Amino acid sequence: MCGIFAAVNKTNVTNNLLGGLSSLSYRGYDSAGIAVVKQGNIERVRASGKLHELENRLHSYPLDGNIGIAHTRWATHGIPNEKNAHPHMTSRVAVAHNGIVENYESLRRRLETAGYIFESETDSETISQLITYYLDLGLNHEQSLCKALLEIEGSYGVAVIFQEQPKTLYAARRGSPLILGKGDSGFYVSSDINAFSEDVSSITYLKDGDVAKINRDGFSVINLQGEKTPRLLQKLEKDGCESGKQGYDHFMLKEIHEQPDVFERTWRHYFNNQRQAFQLPEFSVPDNEVNSITIVACGTSYFAGMVAKYWLEEYAKVPVNIDIASEFRYRKAPLDQNSLAIFISQSGETADTLAAMAHAKAAGLRCISFVNILTSTMAMESDTVLPTLAGPEIGVASTKAFISQLTSLLIFTMSFRQQAHNKHKAQQAKESMEQIPTLLREYLSDTSSIQNVAKLLHKAENMLYLGRGIAYPLAEEGALKIKEISYIHAEAFPAGELKHGPLALVDEKMPVLVIAPPDDLFAKTLSNLREVASRGAKIILVSTRKGLDLARDYVHAEIEMPEIAKQFIPIMYTLPLQLLAYYVALGKGHDVDQPRNLAKSVTVE
Ligand code: G6P
């Protein structure tokens, strides 16, 4: 949430900063800004709206400096306008901040009483004002920064430049990621490793409490007490995943089409060819001592966890509780020490999920995380990490990360309580896994029928998504996708729950998407479908040819699915839900990759 990029270089850094911001835009895109130090002055250009607005502004007001900081914002305090955009500055210092200053109101009151004049409504401006306050008291730059950061409650990643120090860039973190990168001609600081250009060959991850002092030729790191804390550069390993849109119109479409590869990469990662068995990292609690599993996550990751609940209960016979992270962390639920806690996160930086993990750890639970970014805070803080291997996901609405989460959760389910250690079973599972990418690819090769269904929904204002059993979490994920990018108000319900209230919403203006794979619950879902049809709703049915034929008399539009082994239904049936949301959003002219009000990595509560 919010992206920071900073550079100190031999040449003008403006293009480096814009390049960095462009890669970080997924973290927030309601305003952006850049500040550089030039000839003893801090100069700044900011603009509300997406990055191109800042680029336009820079054409009229070009900046030129060898050292600069940049920020792309997702508003928390103060509306998304230019005044609230970062960097925030005084005549002596400029700050780009990611995080939340929880005590900003008391700090602001104190500084205003001392005569400091604020220009924005943000919590972040207290940092630039507080640093200035200490500079004005006569402390040096480093001391002023450390003193200010010590007073801040909450989280921060900051990049800071001083008017009187035109060759030095500072970066500090507590709770919000920041990475330092060394390139041929200078140093860079970024919220995300993927924002570094090709030029960057080695990196170091700043740790909580670090303050890095960086110039063109080198850097040093201290803690907030001013003591040296050496951080070593390590070679930057490129992950080999293709960047850019690769000819697709949007990252989201590209990421949907990558899913067969993501599925394959993920399951193969866990398959030990020598032993011909699935192999997971050792957990310090043996499976058979685990009484239950608690799954915690947010957003799409939560729905992956919900699918896993059905799998784990059915195949591994272990009771599973599942919780939204922001609820779990504050509920006073008694936690069983023999319960295994699972956290699922694409970014590994979601504030609520991280706090939930800290809560579980404090209660003595073993914490396993399923994480896509292996250098993330969550990966570092878990007892065991199970990678999800989706590669960088840029579209704000999560797609391939969901499929990789499902894949690794399925393997976890099969491995739990030794099931996959049975060679015969592992061989069978491997053989069925090998078939899936082809089926997914075939499905994705012709999306015309989904595009036709999407045309029926352009004018819809509300939708219902229904599913039973394992199709219910898919209904939730499908409804989330259509909300996120198509801005259609969509609600998901277990099909059997409809008659307990939501049926009152149904009339001929309400499209109802029913997910009904040919499982043992199909007949029950079919009767719910009839209940909805008899109230005039327009039904879109997602099922196999056989299922569609059985429901023919009630269905307004069909989405035909191939026959597939039962355990892979959640993976296969996710594709049409993603594509439908994509094509509806496209038809409505929305910015598919950067939907309004959202951000990809939510590092605030
Ligand atoms: C945000 C994103 C969602 C994501 C959720 C959880 O809301 O827009 O796509 O599912 O955060 O993120 P995580 O990184 O923890 O999976």
Side-chain angles (χ1 to χ4, degrees):
M1 185 132 291
C2 299
I4 293 177
F5 200 83
V8 45
N9 207 333
K10 285 187 187 130
T11 50
N12 182 4
V13 291
T14 312
N15 282 338
N16 301 107
L17 296 177
L18 281 174
L21 286 188
S22 149
S23 305
L24 292 173
S25 290
Y26 72 89
R27 299 177 71 90
Y29 35 79
D30 60 40
S31 55
I34 287 182
V36 299
V37 188
K38 194 190 170 193
Q39 292 167 350
N41 278 316
I42 299 173
E43 289 182 7
R44 170 180 71 174
V45 173
R46 301 178 293 174
S48 69
K50 297 208 168 146
L51 190 58
H52 61 89
E53 303 289 349
L54 178 68
E55 287 167 340
N56 291 342
R57 191 64 68 84
L58 282 163
H59 285 138
S60 318
Y61 306 97
L63 290 177
D64 182 8
N66 297 341
I67 173 167
I69 60 177
H71 187 270
T72 178
R73 178 169 187 248
W74 184 86
T76 57
H77 297 65
I79 59 164
N81 60 12
E82 184 175 337
K83 198 173 58 144
N84 290 330
H86 298 223
H88 291 290
M89 64 179 277
T90 65
S91 60
R92 304 188 71 179
V93 64
V95 176
H97 170 229
N98 173 23
I100 298 268
V101 181
E102 286 169 1
N103 56 338
Y104 80 100
E105 280 169 326
S106 61
L107 288 173
R108 184 170 175 144
R109 265 196 307 276
R110 197 180 98 199
L111 289 160
E112 280 178 338
T113 310
Y116 289 82
I117 296 165
F118 282 70
E119 60 167 23
S120 78
E121 298 144 28
T122 66
D123 56 327
S124 307
E125 197 188 351
T126 50
I127 308 179
S128 50
Q129 296 282 6
L130 195 55
I131 297 171
T132 308
Y133 168 79
Y134 285 117
L135 287 172
D136 292 347
L137 285 184
L139 271 62
N140 69 28
H141 301 95
E142 206 170 286
Q143 290 163 338
S144 301
L145 175 60
C146 291
K147 271 288 260 167
L149 295 179
L150 276 169
E151 280 191 53
I152 285 168
E153 288 165 21
S155 60
Y156 61 80
V158 285
V160 181
I161 46 175
F162 291 97
Q163 175 250 330
E164 295 137 7
Q165 272 206 325
K167 291 190 176 156
T168 313
L169 164 70
Y170 289 85
R173 70 159 277 183
R174 182 173 74 213
S176 302
L178 274 187
I179 306 141
L180 176 65
K182 182 179 183 299
D184 294 338
S185 49
F187 279 88
Y188 306 90
V189 173
S190 173
S191 303
D192 178 342
I193 198 167
N194 291 309
F196 289 131
S197 66
E198 289 298 306
D199 175 42
V200 171
S201 53
S202 51
I203 53 156
T204 187
Y205 290 90
L206 295 185
K207 300 212 160 72
D208 276 351
D210 281 358
V211 178
K213 188 174 173 182
I214 310 150
N215 62 41
R216 214 160 67 188
D217 307 312
F219 73 96
S220 58
V221 179
I222 55 168
N223 62 23
L224 292 176
Q225 284 69 39
E227 297 152 349
K228 283 215 152 62
T229 45
R231 298 274 172 252
L232 296 179
L233 287 171
Q234 63 194 73
K235 193 167 173 293
L236 172 57
E237 305 288 351
K238 310 272 174 189
D239 61 17
C241 290
E242 300 283 6
S243 58
K245 292 189 193 143
Q246 305 293 313
Y248 288 96
D249 289 341
H250 296 97
F251 280 107
M252 182 178 175
L253 191 61
K254 173 196 154 216
E255 288 160 4
I256 289 173
H257 282 270
E258 278 175 336
Q259 293 179 120
D261 294 342
V262 165
F263 173 84
E264 183 142 31
R265 185 159 68 229
T266 307
W267 83 257
R268 287 200 186 277
H269 171 82
Y270 289 104
F271 195 76
N272 182 324
N273 277 320
Q274 235 169 10
R275 291 176 46 197
Q276 287 294 299
F278 285 97
Q279 198 172 11
L280 265 58
E282 289 289 321
F283 308 120
S284 45
V285 191
D287 294 0
N288 49 15
E289 287 177 22
V290 171
N291 291 345
S292 65
I293 291 180
T294 298
I295 301 180
V296 183
C298 300
T300 288
S301 299
Y302 172 76
F303 296 130
M306 218 195 246
V307 171
K309 174 181 162 72
Y310 284 80
W311 276 336
L312 281 158
E313 290 182 342
E314 178 171 355
Y315 301 127
K317 306 285 176 246
V318 56
V320 178
N321 304 311
I322 175 150
D323 239 314
I324 295 272
S326 55
E327 290 298 314
F328 176 78
R329 63 185 287 196
Y330 293 119
R331 264 212 353 261
K332 310 275 184 291
L335 296 176
D336 175 2
Q337 299 241 338
N338 290 330
S339 179
L340 200 61
I342 292 183
F343 298 85
I344 308 168
S345 176
Q346 186 284 126
S347 63
E349 299 294 348
T350 302
D352 283 321
T353 315
L354 284 173
M357 181 186 275
H359 177 62
K361 272 191 156 184
L365 269 65
R366 302 294 301 169
C367 295
I368 301 182
S369 64
F370 287 77
V371 184
N372 197 38
I373 309 290
L374 296 178
T375 50
S376 63
T377 312
M378 195 172 302
M380 308 284 175
E381 290 184 0
S382 318
D383 296 312
T384 309
V385 182
L386 276 79
T388 56
L389 302 168
E393 189 181 63
I394 305 299
V396 165
S398 186
T399 53
K400 65 175 180 168
F402 183 67
I403 292 301
S404 63
Q405 289 166 345
L406 292 184
T407 311
S408 36
L409 285 160
L410 180 59
I411 290 165
F412 176 81
T413 304
M414 294 184 331
S415 308
F416 198 74
R417 299 203 170 140
Q418 317 288 316
Q419 298 176 70
H421 300 194
N422 172 323
K423 266 211 172 134
H424 175 63
K425 278 197 171 167
Q427 199 54 40
Q428 276 183 332
K430 180 191 175 213
E431 279 164 19
S432 47
M433 297 251 172
E434 279 170 336
Q435 328 263 318
I436 301 304
T438 311
L439 286 175
L440 298 176
R441 267 181 214 114
E442 270 170 15
Y443 189 80
L444 290 169
S445 66
D446 180 6
T447 60
S448 52
S449 61
I450 310 258
Q451 294 186 46
N452 289 334
V453 177
K455 286 182 196 142
L456 306 174
L457 295 172
H458 291 164
K459 294 219 163 70
E461 287 177 6
N462 300 291
M463 272 185 85
L464 292 179
Y465 277 64
L466 304 181
R468 255 180 195 267
I470 209 155
Y472 165 56
L474 299 183
E476 288 281 6
E477 173 57 9
L480 178 64
K481 285 286 92 76
I482 207 123
K483 277 185 266 211
E484 284 179 308
I485 59 171
S486 311
Y487 314 151
I488 294 176
H489 168 231
E491 303 264 4
F493 291 99
E497 186 63 12
L498 201 70
K499 54 191 168 293
H500 298 294
L503 201 53
L505 297 169
V506 171
D507 62 15
E508 58 291 340
K509 288 202 282 305
M510 177 71 86
V512 179
L513 186 140
V514 183
I515 305 164
D519 56 17
D520 44 6
L521 297 175
F522 179 82
K524 302 225 174 285
T525 313
L526 190 58
S527 39
N528 300 132
L529 186 148
R530 286 194 200 104
E531 288 157 15
V532 186
S534 56
R535 269 89 189 169
K538 295 209 162 54
I539 291 171
I540 302 161
L541 179 60
V542 185
S543 190
T544 54
R545 188 66 262 153
K546 198 170 150 212
L548 295 169
D549 286 345
L550 284 169
R552 186 183 298 138
D553 295 343
Y554 313 97
V555 169
H556 181 65
E558 296 181 346
I559 296 183
E560 185 178 342
M561 302 305 294
E563 299 280 354
I564 193 162
K566 184 181 165 197
Q567 67 273 30
F568 300 113
I569 282 175
I571 291 169
M572 176 56 96
Y573 278 59
T574 297
L575 302 185
L577 307 177
Q578 298 169 337
L579 288 164
L580 190 65
Y582 174 82
Y583 285 113
V584 175
L586 198 68
K588 292 173 97 175
H590 294 170
D591 185 338
V592 175
D593 285 333
Q594 296 187 339
R596 69 185 181 201
N597 304 339
L598 301 181
K600 188 143 193 76
S601 174
V602 182
T603 55
V604 294
E605 236 189 277

